[in-house]
Amino acid sequence: MSLVRIKDHLEAARAGGYAIPLIDVFEMQGARGTFDAIAEKQAPAIVAVYAHLIDLPDAEAFAAYLKMMAERVAAPVSVMLDHGENVEQCLKAISLGFTDVMYDGSKLPIAENVSKTLEVVAAARPLGIGVEAELGHVGNAADYADFAAKRQGFTDPESVVPFLEATGVDYLAVAFGTAHGVFKGDPQLDLELFKHIASLVDVPLVMHGGSGLTDEQFTAAIAAGVAKINVATNLVIGASKAMKKEAAGDAANLFTISTAARKAYKDGVGGVLELFGSAGKAAA
Ligand code: 13P
């Protein structure tokens, strides 16, 4: 077990009716808590950094830290770049030893999304690094009421097979009603659209915007075949609340507050691993 490319595990998840979470981490306490949960739950997982972090001067050190933690945990863990904004960020992640990268060309016209994704696949494939792309566009939850009603950005099923044939990506994010961040209004998933897409392709499919859905919505999406679910906002909010609560106490100090953040991530990620069914699947 240890640091792995996640594709085989996503295929096992799709076949086995569970999903593997991608957890975005931003600093070491959240990362520690995430690895604590992965170790305790014996779950395959993806620990990811958002694209803006890869441009920071300490990106190399943070990547080295995550890779070391992944190598030591007794469960398969991918270290992934999330939402690479351009080819250069993906190449940097590859050079830093990430096992998987996402190139997000979802705001581009499809032809350009294809050509840029192909550049990333060409660099990643010879090194055995997994590549995710996004087709359709998962928007921001703050604008949800506007775009969901108009089904803006929802993936056109007709475009999926040609996109996969043209790019050869290992797994694909599709848009069917989720959004990134805190929802304004209740999210509604178009699971019929998702199931239709899933019926057309073999590659694992990805749901972004995993915060703010009900447990029933997660369960239904996984039953429909979602193999990877990205989660960030809920964990950030949970850790922030825990830190504020701890900080309000008289005995609070740097160490107790950072421990509160670590524990909040551990509990939050542990809950996700149980809910998505990946707990106990380290050997699958
Ligand atoms: P949330 O922040 O809504 O959980 O979405 C995370 C995500 O999709 C990252 O790729």
Short mmCIF file of all heavy atoms in Angstrom, two decimals, residues 3 19 26 31-32 73 75 84 87 89 95 103 138 160 166 174 194 199-200 235 243 247-248 250 267 275:
data_model
loop_
_atom_site.label_atom_id
_atom_site.label_comp_id
_atom_site.label_asym_id
_atom_site.label_seq_id
_atom_site.Cartn_x
_atom_site.Cartn_y
_atom_site.Cartn_z
N LEU A 3 1.70 5.21 -1.81
CA LEU A 3 1.44 6.23 -2.83
C LEU A 3 1.13 5.52 -4.15
O LEU A 3 1.98 4.81 -4.68
CB LEU A 3 2.71 7.08 -2.95
CG LEU A 3 2.69 8.23 -3.94
CD1 LEU A 3 1.67 9.28 -3.54
CD2 LEU A 3 4.08 8.86 -4.01
N ALA A 19 -17.54 4.77 -3.65
CA ALA A 19 -16.82 5.90 -4.27
C ALA A 19 -15.60 6.25 -3.42
O ALA A 19 -15.60 6.06 -2.20
CB ALA A 19 -17.73 7.11 -4.40
N PHE A 26 -5.01 22.05 2.41
CA PHE A 26 -4.44 23.38 2.17
C PHE A 26 -3.24 23.65 3.07
O PHE A 26 -2.50 24.59 2.86
CB PHE A 26 -5.52 24.45 2.40
CG PHE A 26 -6.72 24.25 1.51
CD1 PHE A 26 -7.78 23.45 1.90
CD2 PHE A 26 -6.75 24.82 0.24
CE1 PHE A 26 -8.86 23.23 1.06
CE2 PHE A 26 -7.84 24.62 -0.60
CZ PHE A 26 -8.89 23.82 -0.19
N ALA A 31 -4.11 18.12 6.47
CA ALA A 31 -3.52 16.94 5.82
C ALA A 31 -3.31 15.83 6.85
O ALA A 31 -3.64 14.67 6.60
CB ALA A 31 -2.20 17.33 5.16
N ARG A 32 -2.80 16.21 8.02
CA ARG A 32 -2.57 15.19 9.06
C ARG A 32 -3.87 14.50 9.44
O ARG A 32 -3.94 13.27 9.55
CB ARG A 32 -2.02 15.85 10.33
CG ARG A 32 -0.57 16.17 10.22
CD ARG A 32 0.00 16.35 11.63
NE ARG A 32 1.43 16.41 11.55
CZ ARG A 32 2.16 17.45 11.96
NH1 ARG A 32 1.58 18.50 12.50
NH2 ARG A 32 3.46 17.42 11.84
N VAL A 73 1.27 5.44 4.92
CA VAL A 73 -0.03 4.98 5.42
C VAL A 73 -0.34 3.61 4.79
O VAL A 73 0.00 3.37 3.63
CB VAL A 73 -1.13 6.04 5.13
CG1 VAL A 73 -1.55 6.04 3.68
CG2 VAL A 73 -2.32 5.88 6.02
N ALA A 75 -2.66 2.19 3.30
CA ALA A 75 -3.83 2.21 2.42
C ALA A 75 -3.38 2.90 1.13
O ALA A 75 -2.43 3.69 1.16
CB ALA A 75 -4.97 2.99 3.06
N GLY A 84 -6.13 21.75 -12.30
CA GLY A 84 -5.03 22.41 -13.01
C GLY A 84 -5.59 23.42 -14.01
O GLY A 84 -6.44 23.07 -14.83
N VAL A 87 -1.65 23.98 -18.70
CA VAL A 87 -0.80 22.80 -18.91
C VAL A 87 0.44 22.90 -18.01
O VAL A 87 0.89 21.89 -17.44
CB VAL A 87 -0.40 22.69 -20.40
CG1 VAL A 87 0.58 21.56 -20.62
CG2 VAL A 87 -1.65 22.49 -21.26
N GLN A 89 0.86 24.10 -15.00
CA GLN A 89 0.64 23.63 -13.63
C GLN A 89 0.64 22.10 -13.57
O GLN A 89 1.16 21.50 -12.63
CB GLN A 89 -0.69 24.18 -13.08
CG GLN A 89 -0.64 25.66 -12.76
CD GLN A 89 -1.96 26.17 -12.21
OE1 GLN A 89 -3.01 25.60 -12.48
NE2 GLN A 89 -1.90 27.24 -11.43
N SER A 95 6.24 16.91 -12.43
CA SER A 95 7.66 16.96 -12.10
C SER A 95 7.87 16.82 -10.58
O SER A 95 8.93 16.38 -10.13
CB SER A 95 8.32 18.24 -12.61
OG SER A 95 7.95 19.32 -11.77
N TYR A 103 -6.51 18.24 -15.39
CA TYR A 103 -6.48 19.45 -16.20
C TYR A 103 -7.92 19.87 -16.39
O TYR A 103 -8.74 19.10 -16.90
CB TYR A 103 -5.80 19.22 -17.57
CG TYR A 103 -6.01 20.43 -18.43
CD1 TYR A 103 -5.37 21.63 -18.11
CD2 TYR A 103 -6.90 20.43 -19.48
CE1 TYR A 103 -5.61 22.78 -18.84
CE2 TYR A 103 -7.15 21.57 -20.22
CZ TYR A 103 -6.50 22.74 -19.89
OH TYR A 103 -6.76 23.89 -20.60
N VAL A 138 -18.79 22.35 -13.94
CA VAL A 138 -19.37 22.42 -12.60
C VAL A 138 -19.11 23.84 -12.08
O VAL A 138 -17.97 24.22 -11.88
CB VAL A 138 -18.73 21.37 -11.67
CG1 VAL A 138 -19.30 21.50 -10.25
CG2 VAL A 138 -18.95 19.96 -12.21
N VAL A 160 -19.60 13.05 -24.82
CA VAL A 160 -18.72 12.33 -23.89
C VAL A 160 -17.83 11.30 -24.59
O VAL A 160 -16.60 11.29 -24.41
CB VAL A 160 -19.57 11.65 -22.78
CG1 VAL A 160 -18.69 10.80 -21.88
CG2 VAL A 160 -20.26 12.73 -21.94
N ALA A 166 -10.96 11.11 -28.09
CA ALA A 166 -9.96 12.09 -28.55
C ALA A 166 -8.84 12.29 -27.53
O ALA A 166 -7.69 12.55 -27.90
CB ALA A 166 -10.64 13.43 -28.84
N VAL A 174 -17.98 15.03 -14.76
CA VAL A 174 -19.13 15.48 -15.54
C VAL A 174 -20.03 16.35 -14.65
O VAL A 174 -19.97 16.26 -13.42
CB VAL A 174 -19.92 14.28 -16.12
CG1 VAL A 174 -19.11 13.58 -17.20
CG2 VAL A 174 -20.36 13.30 -15.04
N PHE A 194 -26.87 11.60 -15.43
CA PHE A 194 -25.64 10.91 -15.04
C PHE A 194 -25.68 9.44 -15.47
O PHE A 194 -24.71 8.91 -16.02
CB PHE A 194 -25.38 11.01 -13.52
CG PHE A 194 -24.15 10.26 -13.16
CD1 PHE A 194 -22.89 10.85 -13.32
CD2 PHE A 194 -24.21 8.93 -12.77
CE1 PHE A 194 -21.73 10.12 -13.07
CE2 PHE A 194 -23.06 8.20 -12.52
CZ PHE A 194 -21.82 8.80 -12.67
N SER A 199 -23.89 4.94 -18.81
CA SER A 199 -24.20 3.78 -19.66
C SER A 199 -23.39 3.80 -20.95
O SER A 199 -23.27 2.79 -21.63
CB SER A 199 -25.70 3.75 -20.00
OG SER A 199 -26.01 4.77 -20.94
N LEU A 200 -22.82 4.96 -21.27
CA LEU A 200 -22.10 5.09 -22.55
C LEU A 200 -20.61 4.79 -22.42
O LEU A 200 -19.94 4.59 -23.44
CB LEU A 200 -22.24 6.54 -23.08
CG LEU A 200 -23.66 7.06 -23.33
CD1 LEU A 200 -23.62 8.55 -23.67
CD2 LEU A 200 -24.31 6.28 -24.46
N LEU A 235 -15.26 20.50 4.78
CA LEU A 235 -14.16 20.20 5.71
C LEU A 235 -13.50 21.48 6.19
O LEU A 235 -13.13 21.60 7.36
CB LEU A 235 -13.15 19.28 5.03
CG LEU A 235 -13.72 17.91 4.62
CD1 LEU A 235 -12.78 17.18 3.69
CD2 LEU A 235 -14.01 17.07 5.87
N MET A 243 -11.85 25.33 15.25
CA MET A 243 -10.75 26.19 15.71
C MET A 243 -11.30 27.39 16.48
O MET A 243 -10.76 27.79 17.52
CB MET A 243 -9.92 26.65 14.51
CG MET A 243 -9.14 25.51 13.87
SD MET A 243 -8.48 25.96 12.26
CE MET A 243 -6.98 26.79 12.74
N ALA A 247 -10.59 28.27 20.25
CA ALA A 247 -9.92 29.54 20.52
C ALA A 247 -10.66 30.38 21.57
O ALA A 247 -10.07 31.23 22.24
CB ALA A 247 -9.76 30.34 19.23
N ALA A 248 -11.98 30.13 21.69
CA ALA A 248 -12.78 30.91 22.65
C ALA A 248 -12.49 30.50 24.10
O ALA A 248 -12.81 31.24 25.03
CB ALA A 248 -14.26 30.74 22.34
N ASP A 250 -10.33 29.63 27.59
CA ASP A 250 -9.21 30.30 28.26
C ASP A 250 -7.89 29.57 28.07
O ASP A 250 -6.83 30.19 28.03
CB ASP A 250 -9.49 30.39 29.77
CG ASP A 250 -10.51 31.47 30.06
OD1 ASP A 250 -10.73 32.31 29.15
OD2 ASP A 250 -11.09 31.45 31.16
N ASP A 267 -12.31 13.66 11.78
CA ASP A 267 -13.72 13.26 11.93
C ASP A 267 -14.48 13.45 10.62
O ASP A 267 -15.27 12.59 10.21
CB ASP A 267 -14.39 14.09 13.04
CG ASP A 267 -13.78 13.78 14.41
OD1 ASP A 267 -13.04 12.77 14.52
OD2 ASP A 267 -14.03 14.55 15.35
N LEU A 275 -19.44 7.07 4.61
CA LEU A 275 -20.63 7.33 3.79
C LEU A 275 -20.42 6.88 2.34
O LEU A 275 -21.33 6.33 1.71
CB LEU A 275 -20.97 8.83 3.84
CG LEU A 275 -22.19 9.31 3.05
CD1 LEU A 275 -23.46 8.64 3.57
CD2 LEU A 275 -22.32 10.83 3.14
#
